[in-house]
Amino acid sequence: MVGERDLLRKKISRRKAITTAGKIAISAVVAGVVAGVGGYYAGTSAAPAATVTKTVVSTTTAPPRTITKTVTKSVAKPLSLKIGVIGKSVHPYWSVVDIGSKRAGEELKKAGLDVTVTFWVPHKEDVPAQLKTMDTFIAEGYNGIAVAPSDPDAIIPVIKKALEAKIPVITIDTDSPKSERLAYLGTDNYQAGRAAGHAMLEALEKMGLAKKGGKIGIATGSLTARNSLERIRGFKDVVEPAGYVCLEPVCDYEDAAKALELAASTLAANPDMIGAFGVYAYNGPAWARAVKEAGKVGKIAIVEFDATKENIEPIKEGIIYATVAQRQYFMGYYGVKLLTLMNQWGWDTALKFYIPRYPANKIYDTGVDVVTKENLKEYYEEVKARGEPVDWTP
């Protein structure tokens, strides 16, 4: 069987390289669903039969399978729907989630659905502010909430409160598996962390820095958020068995200025560092600037997360070796469409349509792409083809 590292080295569609072996990804053709239920939102008392199409794509070489079925659902005339999306901080990463959410809302409106989407983020990571906003959405009678919890445990009671108020809640970007959330749409962060680890090993070898006992710094924006913890765990599970030493993670609490300060101080305190891992979107650029200012470009391998303009530019300059690019656009886009469909068809029916093996599985892996200078143009073309907004050029 081909290993994870071989997949990365061969650059087989990066989408295959970082998903769990054998996992099946489901791509829902929501436009067909909307067309099928359009009469319902036009004012009829019951939805007509909807033709549902799923394209099932395996990570093997087998061709995709297309499954078509008809679902008939009798429902009452709807009220206007309000969908809330809660992110974690003001950052270009979350701006992409916002764009995905709004585009879904726009498409639903064009199809005749009365859906209003509200996107909210705090200025920087702020657990109490997230909880307060959740409470506000509940009090205002929102019909669905997608939230990226900064603290997966603190949010448990508020999710329970929403569900008791008959408001469906899903998590995006960051999961809260101990809560009663109905589903998680986002990155499999442990596997993504492993992909980052393999990219680091490759970078160290190609840059001539590989050596047993070499130190690798880790910078993150949270020591409680599940996405951060899982990425770090996955990364360590690859690089530590290979003989490298991971320094204790430094945390900036989603403060970009603090991230730069911590990156610089970590480099100063560890002059023998050979690698740096950026867990959140701004951590990679912070490492890149600190390395450049310290005159250590080419002497420290950097692997980061996400693909905003500030992530891509250091790759083009040769300062950062690779980034693990999430597909956050689809977290917002599919999150809004799923919550809308849950109001239309009922929670279980919609969830079973979207998520394979639901309810045994409640995770919709949106996937990631491993991007280097070598495949940057190919990645750019793929992103444009998916319809995602791009503010950079290869």
Side-chain angles (χ1 to χ4, degrees):
M1 180 179 289
V2 179
E4 293 172 289
R5 199 172 182 185
D6 293 323
L7 285 170
L8 287 172
R9 184 171 286 127
K10 288 183 178 181
K11 304 298 180 195
I12 295 173
S13 172
R14 293 175 298 283
R15 292 167 290 204
K16 297 180 182 179
I18 50 75
T19 52
T20 308
K23 178 179 284 187
I24 293 178
I26 302 297
S27 176
V29 184
V30 181
V33 178
V34 172
V37 300
Y40 162 73
Y41 279 96
T44 58
S45 60
T51 300
V52 177
T53 303
K54 293 182 179 182
T55 301
V56 183
V57 184
S58 172
T59 55
T60 66
T61 56
R65 296 180 292 112
T66 299
I67 302 171
T68 302
K69 64 178 181 178
T70 299
V71 178
T72 302
K73 189 76 176 175
S74 294
V75 288
K77 185 175 180 178
L79 300 173
S80 297
L81 297 179
K82 295 188 294 185
I83 306 297
V85 181
I86 300 175
K88 293 172 66 179
S89 65
V90 174
H91 187 273
Y93 174 92
W94 288 106
S95 296
V96 175
V97 178
D98 184 18
I99 291 169
S101 302
K102 287 178 177 175
R103 185 165 296 174
E106 290 166 359
E107 290 180 3
L108 292 168
K109 280 184 179 294
K110 286 179 181 178
L113 285 71
D114 189 3
V115 179
T116 299
V117 179
T118 301
F119 181 83
W120 179 91
V121 290
H123 180 69
K124 61 181 180 179
E125 190 171 42
D126 188 333
V127 175
Q130 275 196 330
L131 302 182
K132 183 178 180 181
T133 302
M134 279 278 289
D135 270 326
T136 298
F137 285 174
I138 294 169
E140 293 180 356
Y142 273 61
N143 304 98
I145 300 172
V147 58
S150 290
D151 187 324
D153 294 326
I155 205 154
I156 290 175
V158 191
I159 290 178
K160 181 178 177 64
K161 181 179 178 181
L163 295 174
E164 289 175 346
K166 307 302 180 184
I167 300 172
V169 179
I170 62 174
T171 51
I172 59 172
D173 179 73
T174 309
D175 198 10
S176 176
K178 294 180 182 178
S179 72
E180 296 177 36
R181 57 90 173 106
L182 299 172
Y184 165 64
L185 275 66
T187 305
D188 182 330
N189 285 292
Y190 175 75
Q191 291 298 331
R194 290 187 64 88
H198 285 295
M200 177 61 74
L201 296 183
E202 181 176 281
L204 292 169
E205 287 182 0
K206 286 190 174 182
M207 295 172 68
L209 301 171
K211 66 175 182 179
K212 298 294 182 182
K215 295 180 181 179
I216 299 174
I218 300 175
T220 184
S222 177
L223 295 177
T224 57
R226 186 176 176 84
N227 63 345
S228 172
L229 299 176
E230 288 293 280
R231 291 174 196 176
I232 293 171
R233 184 169 69 90
F235 181 81
K236 285 184 173 182
D237 282 355
V238 171
V239 300
E240 289 184 339
Y244 295 94
V245 176
C246 289
L247 300 176
E248 190 69 20
V250 293
C251 182
D252 51 68
Y253 300 98
E254 300 209 26
D255 183 327
K258 184 68 172 177
L260 176 59
E261 178 186 322
L262 289 171
S265 62
T266 301
L267 287 173
N270 299 276
D272 54 345
M273 258 181 63
I274 60 171
F277 175 39
V279 179
Y280 279 2
Y282 55 85
N283 290 128
W287 280 124
R289 181 173 171 183
V291 165
K292 189 174 183 178
E293 291 178 352
K296 293 191 173 183
V297 175
K299 298 178 181 178
I300 294 182
I302 304 174
V303 174
E304 61 176 350
F305 259 78
D306 299 319
T308 65
K309 184 176 182 178
E310 64 179 1
N311 296 109
I312 297 299
E313 290 304 318
I315 291 178
K316 290 164 63 175
E317 293 176 37
I319 303 173
I320 292 178
Y321 179 77
T323 190
V324 179
Q326 298 185 87
R327 298 175 182 174
Q328 70 270 28
Y329 172 85
F330 291 114
M331 298 177 198
Y333 181 85
Y334 284 125
V336 168
K337 291 209 169 180
L338 173 57
L339 288 166
T340 301
L341 202 62
M342 289 167 76
N343 279 274
Q344 159 62 31
W345 284 358
W347 296 5
D348 282 351
T349 301
L351 288 163
K352 287 176 181 176
F353 168 71
Y354 252 74
I355 301 176
R357 303 183 305 281
Y358 186 89
N361 169 53
K362 295 184 178 181
I363 296 174
Y364 184 108
D365 184 5
T366 49
V368 301
D369 300 288
V370 176
V371 184
T372 64
K373 191 173 184 178
E374 177 186 340
N375 59 29
L376 187 58
K377 184 176 181 181
E378 178 190 353
Y379 171 70
Y380 175 82
E381 292 171 351
E382 286 183 6
V383 172
K384 293 288 285 185
R386 292 201 295 255
E388 293 184 50
V390 184
D391 62 354
W392 51 270
T393 56

